[in-house]
Amino acid sequence: MAAMVQRLRASVISTPTASLINLVGLAIVAVALVATAQRVYQGGATYFFQTLGFGLAQGAIFALVALGYTMVYGIIELINFAHGDVFTLGAFISLALMPVFGLNEGRISGAALILPLLGLFVVTMLICALVNVGIERVAYRPLRHAPRLAPLITAIGMSALLEGVMNVWRGPFNLHYPDFLPSTQIPIGGGVTIAAKAVMVIVVAVVLMVSLTLFVNRSKLGKAMRATAQDRDAAQLMGIDINRTISATFFIGAALAGAAGIIYGLYYNSVQAFDGFQYGLYAFTAAVFGGIGNIPGAALGGILIGVIYSISDGYFTVSWTQVLVFAILIFVLVFRPTGLLGMRVPEK
Amino acid sequence: MSAILRVGGVTKRFGGLVAVDNVTFEVEEGEVFALIGPNGAGKTTLFNCVTGFYKPTLGTVTFRDRNLTGSPPHRTAKAGIARTFQNIRLFEYMSALDNVRLGHHCRMHSKLWDSLFKTPFERSEEKRITEHSMELLKLVGLERQSENYARNLAYGQQRRLEIARALATDPKLLLLDEPAAGFNPQEKVELMALVQTILKRGITVFLIEHDMKVVMQASQRIVVLDHGEKIAEGPPVEVRNNPRVIEAYLGKSA
Amino acid sequence: MTTVRNFVRSNVRNPNAVAYFLMAVSALFFPAVVQFATGGSGDYLVGLAADGGIYMLMAIGLNVVVGFAGLLDLGYAAFFAIGSYTYALVASNHLGVTPIGHSLHVPFWIALFIGMFVAATAGALLGAPTLRLRGDYLAIVTLGFGEIVPRVFRNAGIWTGGVPGISALDVPTLPGWVQGPWVGQDFGWVPDFRFTSANLTAYYMLMIILIAFVVILVHNLYNSRLGRAWMAVREDETAAAASGVNTVSVKLLAFSIGAATSGFAGAFYGAKLSYVSSENFGFIVSVTVLAMVVLGGMGNIPGAMLGAIVLYFILFWLLPNAPGQMQGLASSLGLDWLNQSNPNGWPGIGEVVSRSKYVIFGLILVGIMLLRPQGLLPSQIRKQELTHEEPEALAAPRQLQA
Ligand SMILES: Nc1ncnc2c1ncn2[C@@H]1O[C@H](COP(=O)(O)OP(=O)(O)OP(=O)(O)O)[C@@H](O)[C@H]1O
Ligand SMILES: [Mg+2]
């Protein structure tokens, strides 16, 4: 704790210009918070908890996608632009697989849903994971020693390709995604309620994130990942199979993104071939906000961006929300590229 | 003679590791000054502090009575400090000639306007630096390689090309990081001759070198680093017989 | 005569010289050939080709950023938008309906340069803090910027005309223009010439003149101290800095020059359409131009131009026509069922083809980088860089480990 405080202090007060920037930044944040607090107060508790629930659910989805960005960036320092589209692919694939699991809207509900949904999750996550591993194998691995620009361009290309394939497959339409989750409100005291849907989304996301954290911290493969992220050459010398570790990273990241795709579909009941571009960018913003390369950072960043998003939507104007999120992305990258919890100090 | 470079109490820390620890010395104008020490002693780090690649944690770097502490590399180059790298860093896919031409960058005066419209001024400046580059290539014995990609040159040629590129910045002080590494005896002799030629052009030479024979012959004065600390300074003979130096080296190899 | 012969001999083996020559010749004869082939109703095609010139200008500019300086700019369309809107504000009645209350009608050529200048300034403001960071952060910052700018234009209400945008912009003008048999008239000098949809051939020629001008300037830059510094920074920033190159300002120049070109193209585009709207500047524009540069050959000016021609042809001629042709092909092969959409989700072959734009982008970007990273018409030096694998030890991101 003391070490963290010290680090925070060191990062806040370093040079005169930096401290000025920090001061201005803090002032802006303070003004925004005051303005928000005022509107929240006027809006009443019920509306606030609705907005918050929406923000947390959305943030949980951002976080799941952000994890994949952060893990891949941590290990091979590549922005995997295609990751956002793997997420949409998860929604598309699960949509196509639903009949296989007997998931027909209106005909199945309640506890009978649990097993088929579980199966849907597992199969979708597996397919997304394999697709992403394939992408790495085909498009990134051959370029691992090429100039840095090359894999970035193929990543953009892969993103376009996935979007294109989904567009050819189902067209540029908003597809209806079945609504299985209960639309009840859970009372949390004082006449205030929160949507059961949001709670479910958050719970599933938290379970997935906790398992990921345990996996990375405890398992042998997880340790290999962390070692490879820290120093690839040293890890190789220690006998770690680098290619396998990188594949595993893409696998896990995409599995989470696939799950996020299903959750997204179940929560919003609509999905479109190009959703992954925007959503991926939000999730990337979340990863950067939390500190790219940092797993708890991605989770925190996801939640924060989700809440900021829904507060901006709920209390300010919807049309400026996206501008706000992307502005956060730019400002964080420029003024605090290590993010909130970042460990990786980017060199010049 | 006066000091061209003053290193005053320079310390560089990386997290908990003190790579350079409160080191002070002066390089006199017109001499060959050597920096030696076992592997990992902090020699390259010190070079990086002098040339602005690292900002010293503490201490000052003064060059020709100007405080250069923490100036970025292109400023130190413009001020008159040139350097080569321990693990050769050439522009591999540029020709040898273009590598040297690039070295002139900070001494050129063509503005964006001149470049856009290829003004007579730009043409004559390009012509002048091309001629000068050929001259420098000749000085390091690479005039016949001018059109080859740097990556296709032999190892020794690459080291010399790096020196030519450094000379193109028109330095007053030249920092060479292990210039003779990997050289055979014949090449080492040639290198020492080159150092003498550079010296005659009025450029002070400050080098890191492991080969004691080269150091003893080439340099007037030596500073020895060990674990980041300065443990000795003086003329070669003195330093060679300094018990702390002997211990540092033997302790390392034992 | 001998000098001509020597000139030809020394250039005939140089692919770039040949490419320039072929492009110039075909560009000059294109309108005549089209009019001849269509029996005089080829105005539409000439206009289409002239619009392609806008993309070519952008590709030339992005090539400076991506090809010369090695910086990935994914928000290139933002500068295009800034150029367009700037032009729209200073050369239409629109400012009159804003709170300013006075409309401006800056002469066309000056307004064009104002658009360019504002875009370059935006590039500098965005690049200055970002270019100090590591390279791939620039890609993300520009991507974010590219998403922000059109939204700001759409949301800025009365200032930018909101969703419908701004219309009735001043069209391009020249103090005079030559007419002749190529537009079916006698030779003559037309004073105060206005470029409208009624004289698309003139617009086309103006486009070619502008491109030639930009190519010469960029070519000069490439062969100057700045071009050399870009190359050096791209290859090894540390070594460039040690050799006295201010790496940040050199990259910033590349970035702003790219932005300026895009802004120039945007201003011209706005003037030609006489209309701007925030819908025209999405990520698709940025990725199209990037794909053009990558396809043609990063770092090579005629390469970028060739890439622009090929991809523009595919996207704006082949793809719009392909659905019909595919349907025709399918029915002539007796495969009529391919044309019918069916309830299983098959939307008919025509629809599939017209949906495949992004697949084409993806295949170009990935395929080129994997199979022929130097592009169709490579720059010699980039070819070496991009095709030689570096040995493992050197491949670590080049950081400050002198
Ligand atoms: N950027 C850095 N970050 C962390 N530690 C560093 C960095 N640069 C150097 N060091 C450490 O500082 C110490 C001194 O390194 P330096 O390269 O200066 O030694 P040197 O004397 O040049 O050794 P050699 O003879 O092997 O070249 C080493 O322990 C090295 O690991
Ligand atoms: Mg060293």
Side-chain angles (χ1 to χ4, degrees):
Chain A
M1 197 59 211
M4 203 173 128
V5 171
Q6 203 173 19
R7 205 173 62 210
L8 271 180
R9 194 170 295 153
S11 65
V12 173
I13 320 161
S14 42
T15 65
T17 33
S19 64
L20 185 72
I21 288 166
N22 276 312
L23 222 62
V24 173
L26 285 179
I28 293 175
V29 171
V31 169
L33 282 180
V34 169
T36 312
Q38 193 204 353
R39 292 193 183 208
V40 166
Y41 182 73
Q42 287 165 355
T46 308
Y47 186 64
F48 175 70
F49 277 96
Q50 253 176 25
T51 312
L52 187 68
F54 182 76
L56 289 175
Q58 172 147 300
I61 302 175
F62 285 160
L64 281 179
V65 183
L67 285 170
Y69 277 112
T70 241
M71 287 168 66
V72 166
Y73 194 89
I75 207 157
I76 54 171
E77 304 202 328
L78 170 74
I79 300 168
N80 180 14
F81 286 104
H83 189 70
D85 302 297
V86 172
F87 154 79
T88 333
L89 191 67
F92 270 61
I93 288 177
S94 60
L95 197 54
L97 286 177
M98 282 198 177
V100 179
F101 288 94
L103 286 161
N104 291 326
E105 197 173 13
R107 276 199 247 147
I108 179 167
S109 64
L113 269 171
I114 295 180
L115 268 184
L117 268 184
L118 204 64
L120 186 71
F121 265 92
V122 170
V123 175
T124 306
M125 287 165 76
L126 198 68
I127 296 177
C128 286
L130 291 177
V131 168
N132 208 29
V133 168
I135 290 176
E136 192 272 332
R137 190 73 195 76
V138 173
Y140 305 154
R141 191 177 297 177
L143 296 173
R144 208 175 283 162
H145 305 305
R148 268 183 108 103
L149 196 59
L152 272 181
I153 291 174
T154 50
I156 285 284
M158 268 300 165
S159 166
L161 192 60
L162 284 181
E163 283 172 18
V165 167
M166 287 186 284
N167 186 36
V168 169
W169 182 16
R170 302 298 298 265
F173 316 111
N174 281 318
L175 305 176
H176 173 69
Y177 200 99
D179 187 11
F180 290 122
L181 301 185
S183 51
T184 48
Q185 298 281 328
I186 303 175
I188 52 169
V192 174
T193 59
I194 189 163
K197 238 183 181 182
V199 174
M200 289 174 140
V201 167
I202 295 165
V203 167
V204 173
V206 167
V207 167
L208 285 169
M209 281 189 267
V210 169
S211 354
L212 173 76
T213 310
L214 288 180
F215 174 80
V216 171
N217 286 340
R218 301 276 166 81
S219 75
K220 208 172 151 205
L221 193 55
K223 283 179 185 152
M225 278 175 183
R226 285 187 295 153
T228 311
Q230 223 161 55
D231 186 337
R232 196 189 303 170
D233 294 336
Q236 195 154 26
L237 289 177
M238 304 292 289
I240 292 173
D241 182 342
I242 300 298
N243 283 335
R244 212 176 66 108
T245 313
I246 292 176
S247 289
T249 309
F250 275 82
F251 186 96
I252 296 172
L256 292 177
I262 303 181
I263 299 176
Y264 175 85
L266 290 173
Y267 189 65
Y268 294 100
N269 307 120
S270 165
V271 60
Q272 197 253 354
F274 296 99
D275 277 352
F277 175 69
Q278 291 262 317
Y279 232 70
L281 210 47
Y282 297 147
F284 188 81
T285 307
V288 167
F289 199 26
I292 189 115
N294 183 323
I295 289 180
L300 176 69
I303 298 292
L304 283 178
I305 294 291
V307 170
I308 290 174
Y309 192 108
S310 79
I311 286 184
S312 167
D313 265 6
Y315 290 100
F316 300 88
T317 35
V318 176
S319 57
W320 288 97
T321 297
Q322 293 170 331
V323 174
L324 175 71
V325 173
F326 296 137
I328 291 178
L329 171 68
I330 294 182
F331 276 91
V332 172
L333 276 177
V334 168
F335 295 114
R336 191 186 288 281
T338 49
L340 292 176
L341 307 181
M343 306 177 281
R344 280 172 174 273
V345 182
E347 76 275 14
K348 50 174 281 167
Chain B
M1 274 205 209
S2 63
I4 186 166
L5 177 75
R6 291 201 178 89
V7 172
V10 165
T11 297
K12 179 69 196 176
R13 288 202 197 98
F14 296 108
L17 176 87
V18 187
V20 177
D21 191 358
N22 193 16
V23 171
T24 302
F25 60 84
E26 291 183 354
V27 179
E28 303 287 338
E29 195 160 350
E31 70 175 338
V32 177
F33 188 89
L35 178 61
I36 64 171
N39 287 101
K43 307 179 294 293
T44 301
T45 306
L46 186 71
F47 263 26
N48 283 335
C49 287
V50 170
T51 47
F53 282 99
Y54 293 154
K55 192 175 173 181
T57 316
L58 289 170
T60 55
V61 174
T62 317
F63 177 67
R64 302 172 93 196
D65 298 324
R66 263 179 67 191
N67 184 357
L68 285 187
T69 319
S71 295
H74 65 94
R75 289 257 171 73
T76 59
K78 178 110 197 198
I81 305 179
R83 72 171 289 180
T84 63
F85 292 89
Q86 182 170 351
N87 49 353
I88 311 177
R89 304 191 77 134
L90 289 166
F91 307 115
E92 297 191 0
Y93 298 98
M94 289 165 67
S95 69
L97 179 64
D98 274 342
N99 267 273
V100 184
R101 285 208 285 199
L102 181 104
H104 290 85
H105 186 89
C106 63
R107 304 285 173 224
M108 293 174 77
H109 302 287
S110 297
K111 296 279 177 289
L112 181 60
W113 178 265
D114 297 300
S115 299
L116 274 172
F117 295 99
K118 249 196 188 323
T119 57
F121 176 76
E122 204 258 8
R123 282 167 204 259
S124 73
E125 187 172 54
E126 277 292 322
K127 185 154 170 270
R128 186 168 56 74
I129 67 130
T130 305
E131 280 163 10
H132 192 237
S133 301
M134 284 310 291
E135 215 176 280
L136 288 174
L137 282 176
K138 203 160 170 188
L139 184 78
V140 298
L142 290 175
E143 68 274 26
R144 309 228 324 257
Q145 257 69 39
S146 66
E147 290 308 318
N148 288 355
Y149 281 135
R151 79 186 319 262
N152 295 339
L153 299 182
Y155 174 80
Q157 295 176 327
Q158 292 190 343
R159 281 230 174 268
R160 282 179 280 143
L161 179 57
E162 219 192 358
I163 294 179
R165 184 182 69 192
L167 289 175
T169 64
D170 190 18
K172 288 283 174 276
L173 175 67
L174 177 62
L175 273 57
L176 302 172
D177 196 342
E178 305 199 13
F183 275 14
N184 62 36
Q186 170 63 28
E187 286 173 320
K188 283 181 184 169
V189 171
E190 285 168 16
L191 177 77
M192 285 196 285
L194 179 58
V195 167
Q196 289 309 315
T197 320
I198 292 169
L199 216 54
K200 286 207 195 82
R201 295 181 146 219
I203 300 169
T204 309
V205 176
F206 178 11
L207 54 84
I208 295 174
E209 189 45 66
H210 274 303
D211 185 329
M212 288 311 265
K213 237 171 97 196
V214 172
V215 175
M216 296 295 153
Q217 280 184 25
S219 57
Q220 274 94 58
R221 284 190 316 128
I222 301 177
V223 154
V224 190
L225 286 190
D226 184 30
H227 291 105
E229 283 178 66
K230 182 170 99 172
I231 58 168
E233 176 176 7
V237 201
E238 225 172 81
V239 165
R240 183 164 47 180
N241 298 324
N242 183 321
R244 281 194 70 187
V245 177
I246 295 169
E247 191 199 304
Y249 272 88
L250 290 183
K252 191 83 183 171
S253 60
Chain C
M1 208 54 221
T2 42
T3 48
V4 172
R5 196 180 307 150
N6 283 340
F7 181 78
V8 170
R9 193 174 298 156
S10 67
N11 281 300
V12 78
R13 280 171 188 283
N14 175 353
N16 277 353
V18 174
Y20 276 132
F21 177 76
L22 290 180
M23 282 194 284
V25 169
S26 34
L28 288 175
F29 284 101
F30 177 78
V33 171
V34 163
Q35 298 292 10
F36 179 75
T38 58
S41 56
D43 262 9
Y44 165 73
L45 284 177
V46 174
L48 193 70
D51 285 345
I54 300 276
Y55 273 98
M56 191 182 272
L57 277 179
M58 284 204 277
I60 294 168
L62 187 63
N63 180 45
V64 172
V65 188
V66 179
F68 292 172
L71 306 166
L72 188 52
D73 183 348
L74 295 174
Y76 201 57
F79 303 111
F80 188 71
I82 291 174
S84 290
Y85 270 94
T86 307
Y87 180 85
L89 289 179
V90 301
S92 76
N93 284 328
H94 187 77
L95 275 186
V97 301
T98 66
I100 289 181
H102 291 280
S103 51
L104 270 180
H105 287 276
V106 175
F108 172 71
W109 290 97
I110 297 173
L112 204 55
F113 282 94
I114 294 177
M116 173 173 120
F117 184 75
V118 172
T121 310
L125 289 179
L126 182 68
T130 321
L131 288 167
R132 289 168 205 283
L133 305 170
R134 51 184 310 154
D136 32 7
Y137 278 28
L138 182 74
I140 278 294
V141 167
T142 50
L143 186 54
F145 187 69
E147 291 301 296
I148 287 179
V149 167
R151 288 192 173 80
V152 168
F153 283 133
R154 190 171 61 219
N155 293 345
I158 189 71
W159 289 100
T160 55
V163 176
I166 303 174
S167 50
L169 314 189
D170 300 348
V171 296
T173 56
L174 266 185
W177 189 256
V178 279
Q179 63 175 36
W182 51 87
V183 283
Q185 279 153 344
D186 293 336
F187 279 105
W189 179 253
V190 192
D192 285 331
F193 191 78
R194 289 161 57 83
F195 292 85
T196 63
S197 52
N199 45 37
L200 286 169
T201 309
Y203 167 60
Y204 174 91
M205 292 316 281
L206 181 62
M207 198 73 235
I208 288 182
I209 293 169
L210 285 181
I211 290 174
F213 194 62
V214 170
V215 165
I216 290 170
L217 295 186
V218 173
H219 183 85
N220 285 347
L221 278 184
Y222 182 66
N223 289 312
S224 74
R225 85 190 257 252
L226 191 55
R228 211 161 39 225
W230 284 334
M231 222 183 288
V233 165
R234 191 178 74 212
E235 284 202 22
D236 188 337
E237 246 188 277
T238 302
S243 311
V245 175
N246 183 346
T247 54
V248 173
S249 72
V250 161
K251 286 193 283 185
L252 193 56
L253 263 176
F255 193 67
S256 319
I257 288 171
T261 317
S262 189
F264 182 80
F268 192 76
Y269 181 68
K272 191 269 165 171
L273 275 188
S274 189
Y275 164 69
V276 291
S277 143
S278 60
E279 304 306 311
N280 296 338
F281 309 113
F283 180 66
I284 177 115
V285 177
S286 301
V287 82
T288 306
V289 180
L290 179 68
M292 286 169 170
V293 173
V294 170
L295 174 67
M298 282 188 285
N300 198 26
I301 304 168
M305 294 166 73
L306 182 69
I309 295 174
V310 172
L311 192 53
Y312 187 81
F313 175 75
I314 294 177
L315 292 180
F316 293 90
W317 198 82
L318 224 48
L319 263 192
N321 290 324
Q325 299 194 340
M326 283 305 284
Q327 281 169 347
L329 184 68
S331 41
S332 67
L333 290 176
L335 299 171
D336 268 316
W337 57 271
L338 272 177
N339 291 337
Q340 257 74 61
S341 60
N342 73 26
N344 297 337
W346 174 254
I349 187 126
E351 177 63 19
V352 166
V353 171
S354 70
R355 282 179 189 175
S356 58
K357 199 183 222 180
Y358 274 82
V359 175
I360 294 177
F361 287 141
L363 288 179
I364 287 179
L365 290 174
V366 177
I368 289 281
M369 284 326 287
L370 290 178
L371 304 175
R372 195 178 157 86
Q374 66 272 32
L376 296 178
L377 188 63
S379 103
Q380 284 313 307
I381 167 169
R382 283 295 254 175
K383 181 173 168 186
Q384 302 280 330
E385 266 173 54
L386 290 162
T387 50
H388 279 246
E389 292 238 324
E390 290 183 51
E392 182 86 23
L394 291 176
R398 290 194 151 157
Q399 41 188 324
L400 297 178
Q401 35 179 240

